[in-house]
Amino acid sequence: MLSSISFPEKHPLENNQQYAYRALFQAIMHLDIKPGQQLSDTEVAQVLNISRTPVREAVLRLVEIKLVDVAPQRSSSVSRINLNYVDEGVFFRNAVESHVFKEAIPRATDADLAALRENLSLQRLRIDENRINEYIDVDDDFHRIIFQIAEKSRSWDAVVSVTTHLNRLRRLLNLASENAIEKAYTEHLEMYNIIATKSKEKIGDLVGQHISWGNKFVLPKLQKDYPDYFI
């Protein structure tokens, strides 16, 4: 039931279509709406207290980024995690981020480093408080800040669009494995130190390891524990 989900409040400057998209995107990425779950325009409109038209428009945007499937004469459903899309997301992030990090290293200012340190403090706090979904959002912000430092914000938007299946798998992994979270946090500290000391030698290997580790070692268990989530 969507009524049991804590959807975000509507921002004053966003229209109903933007609000519906943001609320649904967050709920799907947080796994509050499960892979394979039916998605009724009418129910979404009622829960968000908006009309069906902006909901349908938002759903079409979610279809474009492979988060929602629409079958003829049937209601929409949240897409199951497609491992081919996961592999493509790993490839895309690895290819893009290794270059973005190298671009960010010479550009990082004292203010940029302070923003990264503040983010790392929030990561540590979210881990210690066991607020895992919020930790993962802050984790994403860490990477987004680095894209901003490299002046590649539009590239970050592309990464978000291409990695929807990978990022749901990451969230499932982090919810299932405390070790994965601590490992990710430690690697973020290493990334910060590389940027702060302006050293490019290790960044490529570290980015690749950071993005793909969980897929290799934990995926079989996730497929066994959540068989209905995958195709």
Side-chain angles (χ1 to χ4, degrees):
M1 294 288 291
L2 296 185
S3 58
S4 65
I5 297 173
S6 180
F7 286 103
E9 296 292 328
K10 184 174 181 288
H11 292 159
L13 297 180
E14 65 184 350
N15 60 38
N16 285 342
Q17 187 268 341
Q18 291 168 331
Y19 172 52
Y21 177 82
R22 181 171 63 87
L24 288 172
F25 181 88
Q26 177 178 299
I28 293 170
M29 296 305 298
H30 282 196
L31 303 176
D32 294 326
I33 307 178
K34 311 299 183 188
Q37 184 174 333
Q38 294 292 304
L39 199 61
S40 163
D41 293 351
T42 300
E43 185 181 8
V44 173
Q46 290 174 345
V47 170
L48 297 183
N49 196 28
I50 59 178
S51 69
R52 291 177 60 190
T53 298
V55 173
R56 286 195 295 267
E57 293 170 346
V59 167
L60 289 176
R61 289 181 61 191
L62 293 168
V63 170
E64 290 178 359
I65 60 173
K66 310 299 185 185
L67 278 181
V68 170
D69 297 325
V70 179
Q73 308 302 318
R74 295 179 60 186
S75 62
S76 305
S77 63
V78 175
S79 64
R80 289 181 169 83
I81 297 172
N82 184 314
L83 296 183
N84 287 330
Y85 293 159
V86 169
D87 287 342
E88 185 174 3
V90 170
F91 172 83
F92 190 75
R93 279 197 68 172
N94 198 8
V96 173
E97 289 203 43
S98 58
H99 290 287
V100 167
F101 270 82
K102 290 176 183 178
E103 290 281 327
I105 287 169
R107 296 174 185 265
T109 65
D110 289 343
D112 294 328
L113 295 176
L116 290 172
R117 288 195 300 272
E118 181 179 0
N119 177 279
L120 287 166
S121 295
L122 284 174
Q123 288 184 44
R124 185 70 260 168
L125 182 64
R126 297 295 181 264
I127 294 171
D128 292 343
E129 294 176 344
N130 199 34
R131 294 159 65 179
I132 305 306
N133 260 323
E134 292 180 38
Y135 163 77
I136 299 167
D137 290 337
V138 178
D139 175 331
D140 287 340
D141 279 341
F142 179 83
H143 292 268
R144 179 184 55 77
I145 291 168
I146 293 171
F147 274 71
Q148 289 180 336
I149 293 170
E151 299 181 6
K152 298 293 185 293
S153 293
R154 292 178 66 244
S155 296
W156 175 250
D157 294 338
V159 166
V160 171
S161 295
V162 173
T163 59
T164 51
H165 286 247
L166 169 62
N167 286 341
R168 283 189 296 166
L169 178 59
R170 284 176 53 231
R171 195 170 295 267
L172 193 61
L173 164 68
N174 285 325
L175 289 170
S177 172
E178 182 178 339
N179 289 338
I181 297 172
E182 289 291 349
K183 186 174 188 301
Y185 175 71
T186 299
E187 288 169 353
H188 289 153
L189 291 174
E190 291 182 54
M191 291 174 184
Y192 169 80
N193 288 330
I194 287 171
I195 294 172
T197 59
K198 300 192 180 300
S199 172
K200 298 183 181 181
E201 286 79 6
K202 299 179 181 179
I203 195 64
D205 291 342
L206 180 57
V207 168
Q209 172 183 306
H210 182 69
I211 293 168
S212 62
W213 176 86
N215 303 346
K216 295 178 181 178
F217 296 101
V218 188
L219 178 56
K221 182 179 187 303
L222 295 178
Q223 288 176 291
K224 180 179 178 180
D225 291 345
Y226 305 93
D228 294 336
Y229 283 14
F230 295 90
I231 58 171

